[in-house]
């Protein structure tokens, strides 16, 4: 308790907390995009429950990993060499997670672009079972959680700060989940944009797994620019519809 009180009196601790909260929220957006797209494929009455379970699992996984910091740090040690690249368990998890994300995003784009092959769909998207959705969310929760916690370990040595940052980020995810999923569901073009983001994120995870560092700032700047362009397209489309209505 005294350690926590002493920590709150250190300005650098507050700076670390603020920076880490922002980083965790940004990393959580990737996770939330996947959860939103996947939950929208379920029947209406199961969607909110799937989102809450997915985000709850993300919190439990992150807090569980924080309790095993020593083991998490060991994940960065090389365990195998492939084509001259020394890979750690973290690298292997990132590569597998990235491949899964690329495969899933590509499959979803196919469902949206070529709906003729998928007549048994729910609101234009391929139906999936509740259990299947939770398993897929759990897989990506694991990948994003490990990336999130290793980022936190690299930014501060204080576990208390990490816990506060993780809980804050997951709370933001929980509050944003339903509005984001509703917005994505009502705007088909946003779905394609979100899927392209997931492709980009998956490719980045694979690259980082093989030791090619891609600055996150470039990735999120490109995503923000695409979102602004799509926002302008939506504004222009709505303006045309209002003119036709008049």
């Amino acid at each position: 308790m005294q350690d926590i009180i002493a920590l709150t009196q250190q300005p650098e601790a507050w700076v670390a907390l603020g920076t880490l909260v922002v980083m965790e929220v940004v990393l959580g957006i990737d996770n939330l995009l996947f959860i939103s797209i996947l939950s929208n494929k379920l029947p209406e009455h199961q969607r909110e429950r799937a989102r809450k379970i997915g985000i709850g699992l993300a919190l439990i996984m992150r807090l569980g990993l924080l309790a095993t910091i020593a083991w998490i740090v060991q994940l960065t040690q090389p365990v195998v060499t492939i084509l001259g690249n020394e890979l750690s368990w973290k690298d292997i998890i990132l590569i597998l997670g990235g491949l899964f994300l690329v495969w899933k995003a590509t499959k979803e784009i196919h469902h949206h672009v070529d709906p003729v092959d998928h007549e048994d769909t729910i609101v234009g998207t391929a139906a999936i079972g509740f259990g299947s959705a939770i398993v897929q969310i759990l897989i990506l929760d694991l990948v994003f959680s490990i990336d999130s916690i290793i980022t936190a370990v690299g930014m501060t040595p204080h576990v208390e700060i990490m816990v506060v940052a993780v809980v804050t980020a997951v709370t933001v995810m929980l509050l944003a989940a339903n509005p984001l999923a509703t917005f994505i569901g009502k705007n088909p073009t946003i779905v394609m944009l979100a899927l392209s983001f997931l492709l980009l994120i998956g490719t980045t995870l694979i690259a980082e797994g093989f030791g090619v560092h891609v600055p996150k700032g470039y990735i999120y700047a490109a995503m923000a620019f695409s979102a602004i362009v799509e926002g302008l397209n939506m504004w222009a489309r709505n303006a045309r519809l209002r003119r036709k209505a008049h």
Side-chain angles (χ1 to χ4, degrees):
M1 186 65 182
Q2 291 180 344
D3 292 340
I4 296 176
I5 294 174
L7 201 58
T8 60
Q9 297 173 347
Q10 299 176 15
E12 59 271 21
W14 288 101
V15 173
L17 176 61
T19 305
L20 191 54
V21 166
V22 172
M23 286 294 298
E24 291 294 326
V25 169
V26 170
L27 291 172
I29 290 173
D30 304 339
N31 206 168
L32 190 56
L33 272 175
F34 183 81
I35 291 174
S36 298
I37 291 174
L38 204 58
S39 63
N40 280 352
K41 294 166 63 64
L42 293 168
E44 187 81 34
H45 66 281
Q46 293 182 338
R47 294 177 184 177
E48 185 174 355
R49 182 180 166 214
R51 286 191 286 268
K52 288 181 177 178
I53 291 176
I55 295 171
L57 288 172
L59 175 60
I60 292 170
M61 210 167 287
R62 282 164 168 78
L63 293 178
L65 290 173
L66 278 175
T68 57
I69 289 293
W71 176 72
I72 289 294
V73 172
Q74 291 178 0
L75 289 179
T76 59
Q77 301 301 316
V79 293
V80 66
T81 300
I82 298 178
L83 299 177
N85 295 297
E86 292 186 340
L87 303 181
S88 64
W89 280 114
K90 176 204 170 187
D91 297 327
I92 294 170
I93 291 171
L94 289 180
I95 291 169
L96 293 177
L99 289 172
F100 175 76
L101 207 52
V102 169
W103 168 77
K104 188 63 182 176
T106 303
K107 184 179 177 182
E108 292 303 315
I109 289 173
H110 175 70
H111 280 301
H112 281 80
V113 174
D114 188 18
V116 177
D117 293 340
H118 316 288
E119 296 177 356
D120 56 334
T121 59
I122 297 177
V123 196
T125 60
I128 59 174
F130 186 82
S132 174
I134 296 301
V135 169
Q136 292 180 54
I137 288 172
L138 182 62
I139 291 172
L140 262 296
D141 274 350
L142 175 62
V143 176
F144 287 123
S145 292
I146 289 177
D147 195 26
S148 167
I149 297 307
I150 289 177
T151 299
V153 170
M155 293 185 67
T156 178
H158 302 292
V159 177
E160 298 88 349
I161 292 177
M162 297 181 205
V163 170
V164 173
V166 165
V167 172
T168 302
V170 173
T171 301
V172 171
M173 288 172 61
L174 190 60
L175 294 174
N178 287 339
L180 178 62
T182 301
F183 182 71
I184 288 176
K186 290 181 178 179
N187 297 275
T189 55
I190 292 294
V191 175
M192 293 301 293
L193 186 63
L195 289 172
S196 69
F197 287 169
L198 292 180
L199 274 175
L200 181 61
I201 294 164
T203 304
T204 303
L205 290 177
I206 295 171
E208 290 189 350
F210 280 106
V212 180
H213 176 65
V214 182
K216 290 290 195 301
Y218 295 141
I219 301 298
Y220 291 115
M223 291 170 63
F225 180 75
S226 297
I228 291 171
V229 171
E230 181 56 28
L232 292 173
N233 286 333
M234 292 173 62
W235 176 77
R237 184 168 60 249
N238 290 334
R240 287 196 301 270
L241 291 175
R242 285 196 297 270
R243 283 197 298 270
K244 287 182 180 179
H246 288 306

